[in-house]
Amino acid sequence: LGCQHYKRNVKLQCADCARWYTCRFCHDEREDHALNRRKTKNMLCMVCSFPQPAGAQCQQCNTTAAYYYCEICKLWDDDNEKSIYHCDDCGICRVGQGLGKDFYHCKTCGVCMSIAIADSHRCIERSTDCNCPICGEYMFTSPHTVVFMKCGHSIHHKCFYEHMKTSYRCPICNRSVVNMEIQFRNLDRAIEEQPMPPQFRDTQAVVSCNDCSAKTIVPYHWLGLKC
């Protein structure tokens, strides 16, 4: 049972329009207002069609509403292969084993992050309180996986993968987000093998480096200007 977004055995009633929907995404696709899950008070069992207060189990047929249920977020998910936990600091449920297991909450960034990047990520205040720079979806409550680039900016994992097919830079700050040492070495070699014409060999340019933000005067070459 459920919908394309969630597996679950219940529908929830929108507190504003009083209509029944399988999930907030199904509701928001059809209505002119957003469903506030925290205001949800009632659920409808999809097995026996009995309306009742929101809970983890049907009061009439005793069917379990879902494998995971959060009383705070009013979130039901019956996919037993998916691990979900509630973060009090984020105020919502997240996909993962839990805090202290595979995720921790960064107070500065204001979001849960993988423990693997705890000592290496660059903090940006409320880093996911914005839209994805590629698809435009709000990331803090997005059901899709969000990753953090070396510069600290966040982006959907699927959008990052597609973006990296054509660029090596952050779409927000233009800093390199992958190790470009080999590519830059090849570019150095190409510049050495293709010197500028004699009348332009002493030409210089002022550049502002995307990676270190320094402004320097460098030799001009049509292939690239090196910090």
Side-chain angles (χ1 to χ4, degrees):
L1 300 178
C3 61
Q4 60 177 325
H5 307 105
Y6 291 103
K7 292 181 179 180
R8 56 179 53 165
N9 298 321
V10 295
K11 291 184 177 182
L12 64 162
Q13 185 181 42
C14 175
D16 297 315
C17 65
R19 292 174 179 163
W20 299 96
Y21 282 94
T22 310
C23 77
R24 64 184 178 97
F25 296 110
C26 293
H27 171 278
D28 295 351
E29 288 172 359
R30 297 187 179 184
E31 304 292 345
D32 59 0
H33 58 279
L35 187 150
N36 187 334
R37 286 185 310 191
R38 288 177 175 268
K39 292 171 62 178
T40 299
K41 296 181 179 179
N42 300 314
M43 71 178 190
L44 179 74
C45 178
M46 297 174 72
V47 177
C48 67
S49 301
F50 180 66
Q52 59 198 283
Q57 184 173 306
C58 176
Q59 297 177 356
Q60 179 162 284
C61 67
N62 294 324
T63 298
T64 300
Y67 177 79
Y68 175 86
Y69 170 65
C70 178
E71 174 66 28
I72 299 174
C73 296
K74 297 298 187 295
L75 173 66
W76 293 268
D77 197 314
D78 205 32
D79 186 353
N80 57 13
E81 295 182 357
K82 182 194 299 182
S83 297
I84 307 176
Y85 69 95
H86 180 85
C87 175
D88 290 328
D89 289 319
C90 285
I92 60 175
C93 293
R94 299 287 191 190
V95 176
Q97 296 291 330
L99 296 174
K101 297 179 181 178
D102 56 350
F103 281 89
Y104 82 104
H105 185 87
C106 177
K107 298 290 187 180
T108 303
C109 296
V111 69
C112 289
M113 293 186 173
S114 171
I115 289 179
I117 63 171
D119 299 324
S120 60
H121 85 280
R122 179 176 295 181
C123 284
I124 294 180
E125 189 172 354
R126 300 191 64 80
S127 58
T128 60
D129 189 14
C130 59
N131 296 333
C132 173
I134 303 299
C135 71
E137 182 184 7
Y138 185 60
M139 289 187 291
F140 184 74
T141 56
S142 174
H144 303 296
T145 303
V146 174
V147 295
F148 299 87
M149 295 174 282
K150 290 173 61 178
C151 58
H153 289 118
S154 56
I155 185 175
H156 282 134
H157 182 267
K158 61 177 183 178
C159 295
F160 176 77
Y161 178 77
E162 291 298 321
H163 179 67
M164 286 298 101
K165 291 180 180 179
T166 57
S167 176
Y168 64 90
R169 298 173 178 173
C170 168
I172 299 174
C173 66
N174 281 329
R175 291 188 177 183
S176 301
V177 295
V178 293
N179 191 336
M180 293 295 295
E181 183 178 354
I182 296 176
Q183 289 83 348
F184 287 158
R185 192 181 304 129
N186 291 336
L187 184 58
D188 285 338
R189 188 178 300 111
I191 290 175
E192 291 176 2
E193 294 173 351
Q194 302 180 57
M196 293 292 288
Q199 64 269 36
F200 296 114
R201 287 182 182 174
D202 294 330
T203 302
Q204 294 182 317
V206 178
V207 299
S208 177
C209 178
N210 289 323
D211 287 340
C212 73
S213 301
K215 287 188 176 181
T216 52
I217 298 175
V218 301
Y220 175 81
H221 196 282
W222 64 275
L223 281 178
L225 305 176
K226 183 178 181 180
C227 175

